[in-house]
Amino acid sequence: MNTIILRTIAPIITSLMVLFSIFVLLRGHNEPGGGFIGGLIAVSALAIYGIAFGVNAVRRAIRFHPLAIAGAGLLLATVSGLVSVIAGVPFMTGLWVYPSLFGVEVPLATVMSFDVGVYLVVVGAITSIALALEERDVD
């Protein structure tokens, strides 16, 4: 499907969907959402972009190989769990720190870094599968 309407609207839809996926990721600890659902929304945005412009355009847009993104997410999620072991509490126990940024106390948690890791794993793995299927279908 390579219509002028889809090619015109796809970048706007993709941008809004990626922004919404980040919103869902960030609110996921206290309300419905999180890394998995946010990642699925981001992959859907990349799929729409891929339908409009092709696989090569998606690869240029994400800049890194999708499996590298998934690997970085897996590393981040694992490190988030290991931080609690280093602190002497059970694996995957949430830990918070409260650094001050410009006079404002900002709560940071290992739970959030784990969610970001899951987000990256989902985006990387499913994008890799989708791109591989689309490349195979074109040939």
Side-chain angles (χ1 to χ4, degrees), residues 72-86 91-92 110 113-114:
L74 185 60
L75 179 67
L76 180 61
T78 304
V79 167
S80 298
L82 291 176
V83 167
S84 59
V85 172
I86 293 169
F91 182 69
M92 296 296 288
T110 57
S113 62
F114 178 78

Side-chain angles (χ1 to χ4, degrees), residues 2 6 9 18-19 24 38 41 43 59 67 71 73 77 79-80 88 99 117-118 120 122 125 132:
N2 200 2
L6 181 62
I9 201 75
V18 168
L19 187 63
V24 169
I41 295 169
V43 170
R59 289 195 186 278
L67 291 180
V79 167
S80 298
V118 169
L120 293 174
V122 170

Side-chain angles (χ1 to χ4, degrees), residues 42-133:
V43 170
S44 299
L46 292 174
I48 290 172
Y49 194 76
I51 291 169
F53 295 104
V55 172
N56 290 331
V58 174
R59 289 195 186 278
R60 282 191 307 271
I62 60 176
R63 299 196 182 184
F64 296 102
H65 193 282
L67 291 180
I69 295 171
L74 185 60
L75 179 67
L76 180 61
T78 304
V79 167
S80 298
L82 291 176
V83 167
S84 59
V85 172
I86 293 169
V89 293
F91 182 69
M92 296 296 288
T93 300
L95 300 174
W96 283 259
V97 294
Y98 300 93
S100 181
L101 184 65
F102 302 112
V104 177
E105 193 175 76
V106 179
L108 297 176
T110 57
V111 176
M112 189 66 220
S113 62
F114 178 78
D115 269 347
V116 171
V118 169
Y119 179 88
L120 293 174
V121 167
V122 170
V123 168
I126 297 179
T127 300
S128 178
I129 292 168
L131 292 177
L133 289 173

Side-chain angles (χ1 to χ4, degrees), residues 11-37:
I12 297 166
I13 291 173
T14 301
S15 300
L16 290 174
M17 286 179 72
V18 168
L19 187 63
F20 181 65
S21 79
I22 293 170
F23 169 75
V24 169
L25 165 70
L26 294 177
R27 73 174 243 171
H29 181 62
N30 297 322
E31 296 179 22
F36 187 77
I37 300 301

